Amino acid sequence: MRKIAVLTSGGDAPGMNSAVVAVARTAAHFGMPLIGIHRGYNGIIHYESRLMEALEAKMTEVVTEPAEKALVGQIFEAVRARASVALPDMRPLLRKYRGQFALYEHFSDFVAEYPVFRKDLISLDLDTQLDIQARPGTHLHTARCLEFKDPANQMLAALTLTAIGVEGVVVVGGDGSFNGASKLCGFGMPCIGIPGTIDNDLTYTDMTLGFDTATNVCLRSAREVRATSRSHDRPHILEVMGRNCGDIALRTAIASHAEVCLVPEVPWSVEEVARRLQEAIDMGDSSALIVVAEGAYESMADFDVYGLLMAQGKQCFPGEPMTAHRLADCLKYMCKDADGHRAEVRATVVGYTQRGDSPTTFDAVFAFESGNMAVKLLLEGKENLVIGIKQNRMFSMPISQALEMQRDIKGHFNRAQYDTIQDMNSALPTR
């Protein structure tokens, strides 16, 4: 394998830059140039007719058998037609002639000839990339790419990479990114996936890259909220990210000793939360903390937010969804403080700061080990694999198997741990 590429896809996560640097260092160690792909899969679906014509001529020149030449013709006929069904299978050709279809040995020559790709592809080298390893966000930028669901664009991406001599791709992202990597493999471009998402919502691995950093940001926020809550004797709601996974909320609640934790995996009701909050206040806990996962409102029992808030003169409109701030307003009118007045419940949404911190030691090490392993797997001729961590040990498994495990995403949640902290909090001593 002479040249590889790397991309970051989906939502950004702390440690993505560290993973890119690990890939760059390992590739340099083995003497392989590395190409960075901008904005995830968006960076490899630009159709350039002149490039496709040059690649078709090169492939026709390289292949030797009549059947192979016919297959080349079918491939580029499908590309020109932007066909999305009955696409020819390119894998036999790419595997047999790996690296021989490249139009340019040096990437600089390619972008000089096709400057339109300057915004999509860059050369990554240690002289310019080592300083990004601790930066938040992703140097390569990231974006979701609905267009990549089109098989025609998947084939185009594989051909574009082939034209510049890329023989393997490291994909850093979540389940959607892994689906894309699997499709690229289906068109003959070997891929290895690194789980980069703060949500920790990939069931095949104990942890995902960025999760530890995100939970540390949330814990810091919880502690800061606790401090001001104690000063004013006010209960507080802290909403954290996690999409449809409650792992960030659960870990934050455990570490901050939150009185209540609300997650998508466990049904809950506003009435029950109000009862528990009132119990905490009655026991002298005037600064109780409620940690809510952003997706937890989907598991909330029906509640007449409009009726309650409008009756109290609070502006609200029928059908508006529950939010952290509306939940705080509801609890304010449903609970009383120690003096019998309305409980002054406040709300804070941690938001995107969870994605914007420098990686913790755990995430930085995770990024290095996974980036290093990804390159080595490609060098060994492995493909269609994802990297994960179990019991603090790195491992790899087929992408298809990892995605199949996503069907039981709710079963991945540590319900026993959740029940333990909820039970303990239901019998809190007077403070």
Side-chain angles (χ1 to χ4, degrees):
M1 187 160 290
R2 298 186 301 172
K3 185 186 297 181
I4 62 174
V6 61
L7 64 85
T8 53
S9 176
D12 61 314
M16 280 186 164
N17 283 332
S18 294
V20 170
V21 170
V23 171
R25 290 183 64 189
T26 309
H29 177 74
F30 290 105
M32 290 189 299
L34 176 66
I35 303 301
I37 301 170
H38 277 148
R39 299 172 293 110
Y41 294 107
N42 293 280
I44 46 176
I45 60 172
H46 177 77
Y47 178 74
E48 174 59 56
S49 58
R50 192 162 58 92
L51 176 64
M52 290 297 107
E53 289 169 3
L55 181 59
E56 181 179 11
K58 180 64 179 286
M59 291 176 67
T60 303
E61 175 188 329
V62 169
V63 299
T64 58
E65 300 176 8
E68 293 174 338
K69 291 184 183 294
L71 179 55
V72 170
Q74 294 167 13
I75 290 170
F76 287 95
E77 182 180 345
V79 170
R80 284 188 289 271
R82 308 295 289 136
S84 295
V85 294
L87 294 173
D89 186 358
M90 303 193 305
R91 287 174 295 180
L93 285 183
L94 295 189
R95 286 170 180 162
K96 180 177 179 180
Y97 298 98
R98 179 76 67 200
Q100 297 182 50
F101 295 147
L103 297 176
Y104 299 90
E105 182 68 25
H106 301 290
F107 180 73
S108 57
D109 295 333
F110 167 75
V111 292
E113 181 69 22
Y114 300 97
V116 69
F117 286 98
R118 288 184 187 276
K119 65 181 177 58
D120 295 325
L121 305 167
I122 59 171
S123 177
L124 296 177
D125 58 78
L126 297 187
D127 290 339
T128 59
Q129 301 309 316
L130 271 179
D131 65 338
I132 70 169
Q133 57 88 19
R135 282 191 204 165
T138 166
H139 177 72
L140 293 176
H141 304 279
T142 183
R144 290 173 173 83
C145 184
L146 295 179
E147 293 85 353
F148 199 71
K149 293 183 178 180
D150 184 345
N153 282 327
Q154 296 160 12
M155 185 169 72
L156 174 62
L159 288 170
T160 300
L161 292 169
T162 297
I164 59 177
V166 169
E167 299 175 30
V169 182
V170 178
V171 175
V172 188
D175 56 347
S177 305
F178 290 170
N179 265 302
S182 181
K183 300 301 184 184
L184 264 183
C185 289
F187 282 98
M189 182 55 60
C191 294
I192 303 293
I194 294 175
T197 166
I198 67 168
D199 301 333
N200 205 41
D201 59 352
L202 295 171
T203 60
Y204 79 92
T205 178
D206 287 345
M207 298 276 275
T208 58
L209 182 61
F211 174 65
D212 187 67
T213 304
T215 54
N216 273 273
V217 172
C218 293
L219 176 59
R220 185 163 62 242
S221 297
R223 288 170 174 168
E224 291 166 351
V225 159
R226 280 280 202 194
T228 188
S229 295
R230 289 193 190 98
S231 301
H232 295 275
D233 294 315
R234 291 171 178 164
H236 210 107
I237 293 171
L238 186 74
E239 183 184 286
V240 302
M241 282 184 165
R243 203 166 55 166
N244 297 315
C245 180
D247 283 17
I248 293 178
L250 177 60
R251 180 162 288 213
T252 302
I254 292 171
S256 64
H257 297 275
E259 282 75 3
V260 179
C261 180
L262 305 176
V263 296
E265 293 86 352
V266 183
W268 59 280
S269 68
V270 175
E271 292 86 354
E272 175 63 13
V273 174
R275 182 190 67 78
R276 296 190 62 174
L277 177 57
Q278 189 63 61
E279 285 182 354
I281 294 172
D282 292 344
M283 289 190 292
D285 185 1
S286 59
S287 58
L289 178 64
I290 301 170
V291 176
V292 186
E294 63 181 350
Y297 307 114
E298 296 299 319
S299 61
M300 182 187 77
D302 289 341
F303 183 78
D304 187 6
V305 180
Y306 174 78
L308 173 63
L309 296 185
M310 287 296 288
Q312 301 296 331
K314 190 80 175 177
Q315 183 66 59
C316 188
F317 297 96
E320 285 191 344
M322 180 65 87
T323 65
H325 294 284
R326 288 203 180 98
L327 180 57
D329 286 336
C330 291
L331 295 177
K332 180 187 299 185
Y333 299 116
M334 297 172 75
C335 298
K336 303 292 184 182
D337 65 16
D339 298 322
H341 302 128
R342 289 186 310 206
E344 291 298 323
V345 186
R346 296 290 189 268
T348 295
V349 178
V350 182
Y352 285 93
T353 59
Q354 291 158 89
R355 292 183 176 178
D357 206 2
S358 295
T360 58
T361 300
F362 180 91
D363 277 332
V365 172
F366 187 0
F368 173 78
E369 291 185 334
S370 56
N372 181 261
M373 177 182 278
V375 176
K376 289 180 177 177
L377 287 170
L378 287 173
L379 283 171
E380 292 169 5
K382 306 291 180 58
E383 62 179 271
N384 224 347
L385 299 174
V386 289
I387 293 169
I389 185 168
K390 284 282 186 186
Q391 298 180 342
N392 215 31
R393 291 288 184 270
M394 307 299 293
F395 72 98
S396 64
M397 68 185 299
I399 293 179
S400 59
Q401 188 176 341
L403 292 175
E404 178 66 25
M405 294 173 69
Q406 288 299 99
R407 293 171 183 257
D408 187 34
I409 182 66
K410 287 189 179 292
H412 179 64
F413 182 72
N414 193 335
R415 181 60 186 267
Q417 196 172 55
Y418 175 88
D419 289 340
T420 296
I421 64 166
Q422 296 289 69
D423 291 344
M424 291 178 67
N425 287 336
S426 66
L428 290 172
T430 301
R431 296 191 177 186

